Amino acid sequence: MFFLMRCFHHPNKDLDRDEHRSAHRAWVQSGGEGRAVVLIGSGLLDQAGNAIGNFGILQTRTLQDAKAFAEGDPFNAVGIVATIEITPLPDSFQADRISDPMTARH
């Protein structure tokens, strides 16, 4: 199953993001210790170009795995994340068009 994950951050967390970015990236590369394959992801910006969160396209077995991946992210664990949204993507989602996933496929 494929999901769009959007994590919105508390305001004024730039220094915290910088401090924990390497742990966040390691989490993504590990697929949250195997919970998910992260096909693509990046930061989210507001209209002024300020960082407001991050997003990812996830492949998981269940919605619960997608939630566990998002909730286990170090950005969430240290209080950077204010809210998490997980949206199922349709069966017609063309994941094969993403040629270089951020996590090794299982």
Side-chain angles (χ1 to χ4, degrees):
M1 300 176 70
F2 297 98
F3 299 92
L4 170 64
M5 172 196 73
R6 295 191 314 160
C7 299
F8 294 95
H9 297 176
H10 292 285
N12 304 314
K13 291 293 186 175
D14 293 342
L15 292 176
D16 291 334
R17 267 191 298 274
D18 290 345
E19 180 181 346
H20 298 283
R21 185 166 281 112
S22 63
H24 163 76
R25 287 182 175 163
W27 181 257
V28 169
Q29 289 175 344
S30 77
E33 300 171 347
R35 290 177 179 88
V37 172
V38 181
L39 301 178
I40 190 95
S42 189
L44 292 171
L45 304 177
D46 65 15
Q47 291 181 352
N50 300 308
I52 60 167
N54 59 283
F55 82 94
I57 303 288
L58 310 178
Q59 181 179 15
T60 67
R61 291 179 294 279
T62 65
L63 174 61
Q64 290 76 18
D65 286 339
K67 288 180 180 179
F69 172 83
E71 292 169 355
D73 186 323
F75 278 176
N76 188 51
V78 299
I80 295 171
V81 176
T83 60
I84 297 169
E85 295 178 0
I86 306 288
T87 305
L89 296 175
D91 292 339
S92 60
F93 177 70
Q94 298 178 4
D96 59 321
R97 297 181 74 187
I98 301 171
S99 61
D100 189 18
M102 299 176 83
T103 304
R105 293 181 195 236
H106 306 300

